[in-house]
Amino acid sequence: MCCNWVKFLRTTGNGVFSMFRLWPFTIAAACIMASPLRAQDAAAIPPALLTPDVVETSRGTFNFTNGVPSDETAKALYDQLDFTYAYRAYMDAMRGVSIRALRRGMEDMGIKNNEVLVFSELMDAKSLFLTPNADTIYVMGWIDLSDGPVVIESPPDFLGIVQDAWFNWVTDMGSPGPDRGIGGKYLLVPPGYDGPLPQGGYFVAHANTNSILWFGRSFLKGGSDPKPSVEVIKASTKVYPFQPGGVGTSIAEFLKGDVQLGKISEPPATVFHEGTGMVMNTLPPSDWSYFELLNEVVQSEPATALDEELMGPIAALGIVKGKPFAPDDRMKGIMTDAVAVANAASRNLLMNPRDPDWFYYPDSSWYNMLFESGYEFETPIPEITAEGAKPYPDTGYRQMDARTAFFYGITGITPAMAMRLTGIGSQYLITARDAEKNYFDGSQTYKVTLPKDIPQANFWSLTVYDNMTRSMLDTPQRYPRAGSQSYPSPAAETAADGSTTIYFSPTQPEGVARGNWIQTDPDKGWFVCLRLYSPLEPFFDKTWRISEIELVQ
C-alpha cells in the first residue's frame, strides 16, 4: 500500500508531490512499519525479552495473550506485588515497631514523657523484653521532642544509649559516650529545630525524630549490691525541657544580639517508677497489629525521618503520614499473610544463621553478627592497633540478614556494641545449638565450660532466653543467669584448674552448686548469651575460647 501511495504522488504532478517533498524519510519509515514482519526478524528477538503466553513460577501460573495479562493473572500479580510491599514493610521497619512497642510497654506501666523507669532489684523473667540481662540495673524512659530540645542528665558509671523512633543510634551516654563515665548533660535536639543552642555545658545530639527512647545500665557495687548504684541513679538522673538563654548561654552572646537571656531555675523533679517485679510487655507484634503500630510511628514522625526507599513499600500499603490507614479486606488479608511469613523468616535468621562469618570461632555455634556488619549493618567493626583504630572501608551495601536478625532478637544498637576496644563496654556471643549442632531441648541437661582467666575486667554472665519470646526464660528460678556476680543469684564457683562449668537443666544436677546452674523448662526451647563486661584482649584475639555447649548423657 505504501509503495502504491508513493507511485500515486509521483504521477499527480509537482504541485501535489511538492507538499510531501520534506517528508521522504517519514514516508519511507511508514512503508517499513506497514510491511509484515518477516519470520527471520521475529526469530532475531532474544528469548529473554519475551513474555510467554504461559508463565510457570513457584508463585503460580500466569497467562498472557500477546503480552497482555488475563484478568485472573492481573489480580494474582497485584496480590503478589502487595504481598512483597507488606513483607518489606516488616523486614525494613521492624526496628521502628520494636521501639514503639517498647514505648507502649512503658506507657502501659504508667510511665509518662520525661519520667524514668528503674529496675532497682534488676529485671527478672516476668518482663517480656528482647534479650535483657539480669546482671545490671536498667534505667529507661521515653521523650517527646515536639515542643523543643530536652535534657538528660546522665549518672556516673553508666552505659547508656539514645535511640530515635526508627531505632537509629543518636548518641551514647556514660562510659562509651562523651562524658566517659563521669556523668554529664545531654541536650537532645529535635528535627528542624532552628532556635538557640547553648555555647557549652552540654553534649548536643541532633535527632531525626521527635520520639526518643533512651535506656542504660549501671553496675552493682562490688558485684553484689544494687542499692548504692540505685541511690546514685536517682540522685543524678534528670530529664527536663531545655530552657533557651539559660545555662550554656553567656552574657557576651546576649550582648551580640544573637539570643535572649532566659531564667536560671531548678528543673522540675524527675519522677521515678519501680520496674522490678512488674509485668512489662515490650515485644513487637507479629500479627495484623504490627501494621497498626507501624502506622503510629509514621503518623507521629516527620515524613522524611526514614529513607524514601524504605518508606516506599510502607506508603504502597496505604500507611502515609497525614492520611487515614484503612485497608480493605483484600489488602488486610494480604498484609496478615505477609507479616506471618516475614516473622517466620526473621525468626529463622536469628535461630539458624546462614552466614559463616557470623560464627566467632571455627566450627562453632557461638555467633555475633556485629563483628562483620558493624552497628550500621554495613561495614565490619574497626581493628584496634597500637596506632589506634583502623576502620574498614565502606562496603556500600546493607547486610540485610544481620539487620533483620539483630532487631528481631535484641534491644538497642550502638557503636559500643560493635568494637574491639578492651576494658570498655561489653561484648556478646549467642548460641541456640549444642556441640552436635542440635537445638537445645528444655527437658535435657547440658553443660558449658569457660576456661580459666575469663577475659573481662568487670564481670561475666550467661543468660538463658525463651526461643519464642526472646525474653528471659521464665522459671521458678526467676533470674535465669549465672556469672561472676553474687547477686541476684550466687556467683559461679570455679574448679581447681580455674575453669568454670555451668549446667542447664530443669532440675539442679546433683553435686552442682546453685551458682553453676541455670534452670530450663521441659516444655520450652531456649538459647543463651555470654556477656563479657569490659572485655579483654584474649577475647578479641581468640586465645581464650568458651566451649561448645554439650549434652550431658
Side-chain angles (χ1 to χ4, degrees), residues 137-438:
I137 304 158
Y138 274 101
V139 187
M140 63 186 69
W142 63 274
I143 293 171
D144 186 349
L145 300 178
S146 298
D147 293 329
V150 172
V151 178
I152 301 177
E153 293 192 16
S154 171
D157 301 320
F158 193 59
L159 286 173
I161 313 170
V162 178
Q163 316 274 196
D164 75 8
W166 290 109
F167 227 138
N168 293 308
W169 175 74
V170 178
T171 188
D172 288 324
M173 300 184 292
S175 298
D179 73 83
R180 300 295 296 278
I182 67 171
K185 296 180 179 181
Y186 287 80
L187 181 62
L188 307 181
V189 182
Y193 177 79
D194 59 1
L197 293 174
Q199 290 178 293
Y202 297 85
F203 302 112
V204 179
H206 293 263
N208 290 323
T209 64
N210 291 315
S211 297
I212 294 293
L213 188 134
W214 67 274
F215 59 93
R217 297 153 292 163
S218 286
F219 298 144
L220 312 186
K221 297 300 181 183
S224 62
D225 188 0
K227 292 180 180 178
S229 295
V230 172
E231 291 175 358
V232 171
I233 290 168
K234 291 186 175 180
S236 306
T237 306
K238 298 179 182 179
V239 184
Y240 52 89
F242 170 66
Q243 296 295 328
V247 174
T249 300
S250 68
I251 299 299
E253 190 175 12
F254 165 71
L255 293 176
K256 292 179 182 178
D258 295 332
V259 297
Q260 295 296 316
L261 292 180
K263 294 182 178 179
I264 305 296
S265 59
E266 281 293 317
T270 298
V271 175
F272 291 89
H273 297 260
E274 180 54 56
T276 301
M278 301 292 289
V279 177
M280 181 181 184
N281 178 14
T282 70
L283 302 186
S286 295
D287 61 7
W288 164 253
S289 62
Y290 169 88
F291 294 105
E292 294 176 323
L293 272 189
L294 178 58
N295 183 57
E296 288 184 18
V297 180
V298 171
Q299 299 303 331
S300 64
E301 302 305 330
T304 56
L306 194 66
D307 179 82
E308 56 267 24
E309 289 291 333
L310 298 180
M311 289 299 296
I314 297 172
L317 301 175
I319 300 177
V320 178
K321 184 174 178 62
K323 296 184 179 181
F325 174 48
D328 58 22
D329 290 342
R330 167 192 164 274
M331 183 64 85
K332 189 172 182 178
I334 290 171
M335 294 166 72
T336 300
D337 188 31
V339 76
V341 176
N343 171 69
S346 302
R347 176 173 291 279
N348 184 46
L349 284 169
L350 177 66
M351 307 303 297
N352 182 35
R354 65 178 176 179
D355 188 338
D357 292 334
W358 290 12
F359 295 96
Y360 199 59
Y361 307 106
D363 193 31
S364 175
S365 293
W366 291 100
Y367 71 92
N368 182 337
M369 70 287 289
L370 294 184
F371 283 95
E372 293 301 319
S373 72
Y375 81 100
E376 292 184 310
F377 309 100
E378 189 267 336
T379 303
I381 64 178
E383 295 288 347
I384 304 298
T385 70
E387 293 75 33
K390 290 192 174 181
Y392 285 90
D394 293 343
T395 64
Y397 58 84
R398 196 78 64 202
Q399 296 186 36
M400 308 304 291
D401 285 3
R403 188 183 72 180
T404 298
F406 183 90
F407 286 114
Y408 190 76
I410 298 170
T411 300
I413 187 64
T414 162
M417 298 175 73
M419 63 181 182
R420 295 184 172 91
L421 197 59
T422 60
I424 296 178
S426 51
Q427 278 300 338
Y428 312 85
L429 293 178
I430 297 171
T431 184
R433 296 177 185 261
D434 66 16
E436 302 301 320
K437 303 297 189 291
N438 297 315

